[in-house]
Amino acid sequence: MTPTLIWIIVALVAVGLYLSWTAGRLDRLHARIDATRAGLDAQLLRRASVAQELATAGVLDPAASIVLYEAAHAARQAEEEQREVAESELSQALRAVFAESAQVEAVREAPGGEAAAHELTEAVRRVPMARRFHNDAVGAARRLRQHRKVRWFRLAGHAPFPMAFEMDDEPPAALVDRAA
């Protein structure tokens, strides 16, 4: 074998190892996206469940209960295409119902209300974090998928292009202020 042929083989092996490493990295990023999406879905479901439970507990006034129940129910039943809108509407309903600290205090004074208010506070705090983790993973995968080597060698395979989860996740000020 000539030295030129040996160097060509070494270069091809190095390129192959690098592409394999990049494909593995992309696969791990896609697995991370799946895991963070599952975490986000769990937090969104928890928030909707707590809101729905609070709406049916009888501690809120009837109009607030109806608004909160309908938004929470819509968020739990939303199809994947409408999920971001439904979750944003639940955030808006939570802010409308708990716009004033008097409403939070009314919930806390009810039997079992302290635990319910604490659970709701924790749920609305965790949603933005879970969404941020998910969107960070999506951003990392998108940046890697935009590299030429990934596109030219089709290292992403048939995996769908990752999509960020964009929603209004601002928590009600009265809940966050009270817990801080």
Side-chain angles (χ1 to χ4, degrees), residues 51 54-70 97 103:
L54 199 57
T56 59
V59 295
L60 300 173
D61 63 86
S65 292
I66 290 171
V67 166
L68 194 57
Y69 180 83
E70 287 180 355
V97 169
Q103 187 77 312

Side-chain angles (χ1 to χ4, degrees), residues 45-55 68 72 116-117 119-121 123:
L45 181 62
R46 180 173 182 236
R47 181 181 74 153
S49 297
V50 171
Q52 203 168 20
E53 187 177 306
L54 199 57
L68 194 57
E119 191 174 357
L120 182 62
T121 301

Side-chain angles (χ1 to χ4, degrees), residues 70-82:
E70 287 180 355
H73 182 71
R76 289 182 73 179
Q77 300 298 321
E79 297 292 326
E80 193 59 37
E81 307 85 44
Q82 298 299 317

Side-chain angles (χ1 to χ4, degrees), residues 157-169:
H158 297 290
F161 194 74
M163 299 302 291
F165 195 87
E166 297 300 332
M167 65 172 269
D168 174 6
D169 60 4

Side-chain angles (χ1 to χ4, degrees), residues 66-155:
I66 290 171
V67 166
L68 194 57
Y69 180 83
E70 287 180 355
H73 182 71
R76 289 182 73 179
Q77 300 298 321
E79 297 292 326
E80 193 59 37
E81 307 85 44
Q82 298 299 317
R83 184 92 186 268
E84 293 171 350
V85 173
E87 293 295 345
S88 293
E89 288 172 355
L90 177 56
S91 295
Q92 293 166 0
L94 284 166
R95 281 197 308 272
V97 169
F98 296 106
E100 298 175 9
S101 58
Q103 187 77 312
V104 177
E105 290 304 319
V107 169
R108 289 183 189 278
E109 291 170 1
E114 187 69 35
H118 178 71
E119 191 174 357
L120 182 62
T121 301
E122 289 301 312
V124 298
R125 280 184 165 183
R126 289 180 179 162
V127 167
M129 287 188 290
R131 189 175 74 85
R132 198 171 315 123
F133 291 148
H134 173 70
N135 288 349
D136 287 348
V138 167
R142 282 180 166 185
R143 284 187 298 277
L144 184 59
R145 285 182 71 150
Q146 288 174 347
H147 288 171
R148 279 189 217 118
K149 65 180 177 253
V150 173
R151 288 179 305 180
W152 288 350
F153 293 101
R154 299 176 190 239
L155 298 180

